[in-house]
């Protein structure tokens, strides 16, 4: 048997978005794929990244890489099954449709439709067809409102539950609203939108990996997910570094490298190199990790030119020192992730700050702590630094600061760490300014229950609980519930005690009206929400044992639930935040 015949043909290449959305490809999402799942956080991050790359202060003429897409594509056919990449293809389509929707002079933007739907060409036997076909359950909806550019019809009224009947459809609608909001916030007029579209279709690239065999394409997808592009990054960086030291030393460093990888786990080990890249570049990634790591970490800006002149000289220059530094950074990362610091910084407060930092929904603060630990500050300064960093990180989360703004802020702290700093001379970027404090307090004093991100909402309530109880609150299967109900039944006790509808609206979503409880075993019944205050307390009593939440215990000891009670409770809870986070 000829072995060559058994190897499926695989091709890969980087293509502009104008080539990705062209007559060469017609994308189909197989039925076994999960539904469209990107939520507003993903859409916001994508738009902000693209906008910053084109219009931001640090924009450059470098190409923007949108990631990989894995396809199963037969030879001499446009039809391809998307094995991996559905989320990006769908979101980019929604973005293009949204840009057309926001354009004032639609005629100038007519050509944008060609990237969403094939206009057809009789001479080439091309029929008008969408470029992307979602799963059967969503394709009719997607084509009717998005691929036919009918967002006006979809958004002019809030879409009904029947129309937006699935999470995937809700995600499509919500992400289109995010793009509309971002375009409005950035004041993108037709001229700017035209520039943005030119950037999208000409300067943004996707790597298409395709195979004639679906089985081979799925194998590629499994390898990319099981070992991953990120996982390969560590291998590439390791090879780059190990090749720069003598053969005698390679065995020692290979062993230490493997030991660190085992201690951290493969996933966390791979994250380490992204953190180190950020320490050295002090900005968001613009290229793939191995490329930036070599350019900014292994070679350094000044040594890049020197390497071209005399490679042997560079080989002897810094690999051993850098390898030792990476190993020490790995040790710091392990302490941070384990939420247990070594003897030098070992105390309950430091471990507590690390726990709350690790509970954030982003990780861009980690390089800051790694770099700070590498400077070996004394224990008092380390505790003060961690306390302020946790407060800043919480502020960025609570105020829903964009991913780009978060990274910029943490990079400013890293830059500050490179200069003079001490307990007496703190880094300015670590402090909260007056505007940030006011915004943070305003959100905490506002409708906390209405915060649309569940993780943000829970973080706020659990952090409050930790300030009140001075203990680490139990957070698995925790529920946040309102005491004064959402809908007050007519002629009920609630109705007689709270006759003023506007006052009910004012207080029902504030932290004073919220309790933490263990999630019920059975599904929540709508009637439970409307129980009288006395009956609610009985229900809370059952659900507030092991663990016991102080936030809820206070309610159990309250005789009535009036506006005056809520005012005092609100002031007290807000003061707890202000005192513990020093929001002055």
């Amino acid at each position: 048997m000829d072995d060559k015949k058994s190897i499926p043909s695989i091709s890969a290449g980087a293509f502009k978005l104008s080539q990705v959305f062209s007559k060469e490809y017609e994308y189909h999402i197989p039925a076994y794929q999960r539904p469209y799942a990107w939520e507003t956080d993903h859409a916001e991050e994508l738009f902000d990244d693209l906008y910053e790359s084109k219009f931001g202060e640090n924009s450059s003429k470098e190409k923007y890489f949108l990631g990989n897409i894995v396809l199963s594509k037969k030879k001499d056919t446009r039809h391809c099954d998307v094995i991996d990449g559905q989320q990006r293809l769908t979101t980019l389509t929604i973005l293009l449709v949204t840009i057309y929707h926001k354009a004032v002079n639609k005629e100038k933007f007519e050509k944008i439709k060609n990237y969403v739907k094939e206009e057809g060409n009789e001479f080439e036997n091309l029929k008008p067809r969408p470029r992307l076909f979602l799963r059967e359950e969503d394709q009719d909806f997607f084509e009717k409102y998005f691929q036919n550019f009918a967002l006006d019809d979809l958004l002019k009224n809030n879409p009904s539950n029947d129309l937006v009947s699935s999470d995937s459809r809700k995600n499509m609608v919500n992400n289109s609203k995010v793009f509309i909001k971002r375009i409005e916030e950035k004041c993108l007029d037709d001229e700017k939108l035209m520039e943005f579209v030119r950037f999208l279709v000409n300067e943004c690239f996707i790597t298409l990996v395709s195979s004639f065999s679906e089985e081979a394409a799925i194998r590629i997808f499994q390898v990319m997910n099981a070992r991953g592009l990120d996982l390969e990054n560590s291998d590439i960086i390791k090879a780059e570094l190990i090749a720069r030291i003598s053969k005698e030393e390679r065995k020692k460093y290979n062993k230490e490298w493997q030991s660190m990888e085992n201690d951290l786990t493969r996933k966390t080990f791979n994250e380490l190199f992204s953190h180190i890249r950020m320490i050295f570049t002090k900005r968001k990634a613009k290229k793939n990790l191995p490329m930036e790591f070599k350019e900014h970490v292994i070679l350094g800006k000044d040594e890049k030119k020197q390497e071209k002149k005399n490679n042997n000289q560079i080989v002897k220059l810094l690999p051993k020192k850098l390898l030792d530094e990476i190993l020490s950074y790995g040790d710091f990362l392990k302490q941070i992730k384990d939420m247990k610091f070594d003897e030098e910084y070992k105390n309950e407060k430091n471990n507590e700050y690390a726990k709350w930092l690790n509970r954030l929904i982003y990780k861009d603060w980690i390089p800051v702590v790694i770099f700070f630990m590498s400077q070996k500050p004394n224990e008092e300064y380390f505790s003060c630094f961690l306390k302020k960093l946790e407060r800043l990180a919480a502020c960025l989360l609570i105020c829903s600061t964009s991913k780009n703004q978060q990274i910029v802020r943490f990079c400013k702290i890293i830059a500050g760490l490179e200069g003079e700093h001490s307990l007496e001379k703190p880094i300015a970027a670590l402090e909260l300014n007056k505007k940030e404090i006011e915004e943070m307090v305003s959100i905490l004093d506002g409708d906390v229950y209405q915060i649309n991100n569940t993780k943000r909402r829970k973080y706020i309530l659990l952090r409050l609980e930790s300030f009140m109880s001075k203990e680490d609150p139990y957070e698995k299967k925790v529920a946040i519930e309102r005491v004064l109900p959402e809908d007050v039944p007519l002629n009920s006790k609630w109705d007689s005690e709270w006759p003023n509808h506007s006052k009910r609206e004012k207080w029902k979503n504030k932290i004073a009206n919220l309790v933490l409880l263990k999630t019920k075993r059975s599904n929540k019944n709508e009637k439970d929400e409307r129980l009288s205050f006395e009956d609610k307390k009985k229900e809370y009593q059952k659900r507030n044992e092991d663990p016991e939440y102080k936030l809820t215990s206070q309610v159990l000891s309250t005789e009535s639930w009036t506006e005056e009670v809520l005012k005092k409770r609100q002031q007290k809870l807000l003061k707890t935040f202000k005192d513990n986070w020093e929001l002055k």
Side-chain angles (χ1 to χ4, degrees), residues 481-569:
E481 292 186 16
R482 288 177 288 209
V483 183
L484 174 65
E486 163 78 6
D487 298 311
V488 170
L490 286 172
N491 303 319
S492 65
K493 196 171 181 181
W494 284 118
D495 192 24
S496 62
E497 291 177 348
W498 288 82
N500 189 311
H501 181 266
S502 62
K503 287 184 178 181
R504 296 201 302 255
E505 289 296 308
K506 176 184 175 181
W507 285 103
K508 69 181 182 182
N509 295 316
K510 290 185 181 291
I511 50 173
N513 191 48
L514 305 181
V515 292
L516 287 170
L517 297 162
K518 281 195 298 184
T519 306
K520 276 189 173 183
R521 293 177 184 175
S522 58
N523 290 331
K524 184 181 175 184
N525 192 310
E526 194 174 319
K527 290 181 181 178
D528 294 338
E529 168 80 5
R530 300 182 177 188
L531 290 173
S532 68
F533 182 56
E534 289 304 319
D535 288 338
K536 278 197 172 191
K537 286 201 292 181
K538 291 175 185 177
E539 179 67 22
Y540 295 163
Q541 183 72 53
K542 296 175 189 174
R543 296 170 61 196
N544 195 45
E545 295 176 358
D546 192 28
E548 179 180 302
Y549 295 109
K550 294 284 185 185
L551 195 63
T552 309
S553 298
Q554 289 181 351
V555 177
L556 297 177
S557 59
T558 305
E559 292 183 8
S560 60
W561 205 245
T562 64
E563 184 180 17
E564 191 59 34
V565 168
L566 283 171
K567 278 182 182 178
K568 289 179 181 178
R569 179 169 155 90

Side-chain angles (χ1 to χ4, degrees), residues 23 78 118-129:
K23 67 179 182 180
R78 300 171 63 217
E118 170 63 56
E119 64 180 350
N121 188 325
E122 290 184 6
F123 298 111
E124 297 181 33
N125 293 320
L126 294 174
K127 296 180 179 179
R129 282 170 67 81

